[in-house]
Amino acid sequence: MRIPLPPVPLPEHLLDVAREYDDGTRTPVQPRDAATVVVMRDGADPATGPEVYLLRRQVSMDFAGGMAVFPGGGVDQRDFDASVAWAGPDAADWARRLGTDTELARALVCAAVRETFEESGVLLAGESADTVVADTTGADWEADREALVSRDLAMTDFLNRRGLVLRTDLLGTWDGWLTPVFEPKRYRTWFFVAVLPEGQRTRDVSTESSSVTWLPAKVAAEQADSGSLAMLPPTYLTCLEVGTHATAGEVLAEAEGRTVEMFRPAVEPLGEGWTLSMPDRLRPLVAERRRS
């Protein structure tokens, strides 16, 4: 499946629908809060940027079916539990970075770590504030991962029972995207970045995906351009931006200074037609891509 990438002309019927939401004729669906994590590792060639971990969602999924996505998902009510051991920036600092209150910031960070473990087997936690779990492939780990997926086990209970500390310092703040108003299923998604911890390895464990892959960020964007890899615009634009860095460490270093301003694509002119907008900082990247 090929998904047109930005800037994409909007069909006239979709433009009419968007206008009905803008003028109040229709009421948009309330978005659900979500977190997604760009898990990275250094690639063989710095020219193509860090490698990123992508899951291809099952075609049957009702949201982003068939798309290549980063690990992530909606915030669970139990992600708000504040009893978990915590290392790194406190909830107030995360709230400043994410542009939320402290309660939601804590839940988003917890959801980011939980969803990454559920969908890739990568766990950003350790026995202390300066250690990280080295291997999560054993049968006992898999049993806990499946219990998290089924919601039979809460993330805080999982970490507390194992005596683990949530390593929030291994996460970096990257971006925020709000689904356009005319979509029937909407998410307010915070994007994080993280480096694959030493000793851990990703596993094809998500029941929501048909396949998984590691790709250099620039190569992933190229495959999306060619139509061999289907992506939604936020995933594509994130790959483009991450691909401007030579190493995963450089991406994390940039994330240190970032704060999130949630971006919602809006209708804007495109030649003689209309398209959906993108963050201004990404326009030069897309323009350069179209010229090459």
Side-chain angles (χ1 to χ4, degrees), residues 121-143:
V122 172
L123 182 59
L124 303 177
E127 294 179 352
S128 66
D130 55 3
T131 62
V132 64
V133 172
D135 183 15
T136 63
T137 60
D140 58 332
W141 288 103
E142 181 60 14

Side-chain angles (χ1 to χ4, degrees), residues 234-258:
T235 311
Y236 171 76
L237 292 168
T238 299
C239 285
L240 272 186
E241 194 172 19
V242 168
T244 64
H245 300 273
T247 67
E250 285 186 11
V251 178
L252 275 184
E254 179 173 332
E256 278 295 312
R258 286 204 174 194

Side-chain angles (χ1 to χ4, degrees), residues 56-59 61 72 115 119 205-210:
R56 193 187 298 264
R57 285 172 63 86
Q58 299 280 4
V59 175
M61 299 296 293
E115 287 285 346
E119 297 200 336
V205 292
S206 175
T207 57
E208 296 183 357
S209 66
S210 58

Side-chain angles (χ1 to χ4, degrees), residues 179-255:
T179 311
V181 293
F182 52 77
E183 293 289 350
K185 196 164 190 177
R186 304 181 66 219
Y187 291 93
R188 183 186 294 108
T189 304
W190 281 260
F191 281 63
F192 297 83
V193 292
V195 176
L196 178 69
E198 185 176 354
Q200 291 194 35
R201 61 179 187 268
T202 53
R203 295 179 288 126
D204 187 359
V205 292
S206 175
T207 57
E208 296 183 357
S209 66
S210 58
S211 62
V212 300
T213 187
W214 280 98
L215 282 175
K218 282 187 178 179
V219 173
E222 289 168 359
Q223 290 189 7
D225 283 330
S226 70
S228 61
L229 189 66
M231 288 182 180
L232 292 174
T235 311
Y236 171 76
L237 292 168
T238 299
C239 285
L240 272 186
E241 194 172 19
V242 168
T244 64
H245 300 273
T247 67
E250 285 186 11
V251 178
L252 275 184
E254 179 173 332

Side-chain angles (χ1 to χ4, degrees), residues 5-292:
L5 297 169
V8 181
L10 279 181
E12 190 64 33
H13 76 276
L14 194 54
L15 177 61
D16 291 339
V17 172
R19 286 170 172 161
E20 289 178 1
Y21 282 103
D22 288 341
D23 66 19
T25 305
R26 297 194 188 199
T27 302
V29 173
Q30 286 300 308
R32 181 182 178 189
D33 292 329
T36 191
V37 181
V38 186
V39 180
M40 307 174 294
R41 67 185 185 189
D42 287 340
D45 182 0
T48 56
E51 293 183 345
V52 294
Y53 185 71
L54 293 165
L55 306 92
R56 193 187 298 264
R57 285 172 63 86
Q58 299 280 4
V59 175
S60 59
M61 299 296 293
D62 62 355
F63 183 82
M67 302 290 108
V69 299
F70 305 117
V75 173
D76 185 275
Q77 187 59 40
R78 291 178 295 180
D79 291 328
F80 288 88
D81 189 343
S83 65
V84 67
W86 186 278
D90 62 20
D93 194 2
W94 276 111
R96 177 188 62 80
R97 299 182 187 197
L98 301 177
T100 69
D101 59 40
T102 56
E103 186 178 27
L104 179 56
R106 178 181 288 274
L108 285 165
V109 170
C110 189
V113 174
R114 174 181 55 75
E115 287 285 346
T116 301
F117 182 53
E118 288 180 10
E119 297 200 336
S120 73
V122 172
L123 182 59
L124 303 177
E127 294 179 352
S128 66
D130 55 3
T131 62
V132 64
V133 172
D135 183 15
T136 63
T137 60
D140 58 332
W141 288 103
E142 181 60 14
D144 280 346
R145 191 197 65 78
E146 291 179 351
L148 286 168
V149 171
S150 66
R151 300 297 182 262
D152 291 332
L153 179 64
M155 187 67 176
T156 48
D157 293 338
F158 161 66
L159 293 174
N160 290 337
R161 192 188 69 209
R162 286 183 172 269
L164 296 176
V165 178
L166 198 68
R167 290 289 307 274
T168 79
D169 55 316
L170 299 180
L171 285 169
T173 306
W174 197 250
D175 214 344
W177 285 82
L178 177 60
T179 311
V181 293
F182 52 77
E183 293 289 350
K185 196 164 190 177
R186 304 181 66 219
Y187 291 93
R188 183 186 294 108
T189 304
W190 281 260
F191 281 63
F192 297 83
V193 292
V195 176
L196 178 69
E198 185 176 354
Q200 291 194 35
R201 61 179 187 268
T202 53
R203 295 179 288 126
D204 187 359
V205 292
S206 175
T207 57
E208 296 183 357
S209 66
S210 58
S211 62
V212 300
T213 187
W214 280 98
L215 282 175
K218 282 187 178 179
V219 173
E222 289 168 359
Q223 290 189 7
D225 283 330
S226 70
S228 61
L229 189 66
M231 288 182 180
L232 292 174
T235 311
Y236 171 76
L237 292 168
T238 299
C239 285
L240 272 186
E241 194 172 19
V242 168
T244 64
H245 300 273
T247 67
E250 285 186 11
V251 178
L252 275 184
E254 179 173 332
E256 278 295 312
R258 286 204 174 194
T259 56
V260 172
E261 292 185 15
M262 191 62 57
F263 181 79
R264 192 201 80 186
V267 173
E268 68 177 20
L270 176 67
E272 296 182 357
W274 299 86
T275 187
L276 287 177
S277 61
M278 70 181 81
D280 287 341
R281 75 172 192 280
L282 299 177
R283 293 180 187 272
L285 273 179
V286 173
E288 179 182 353
R289 192 77 179 173
R290 294 298 175 257
R291 286 193 298 267
S292 61

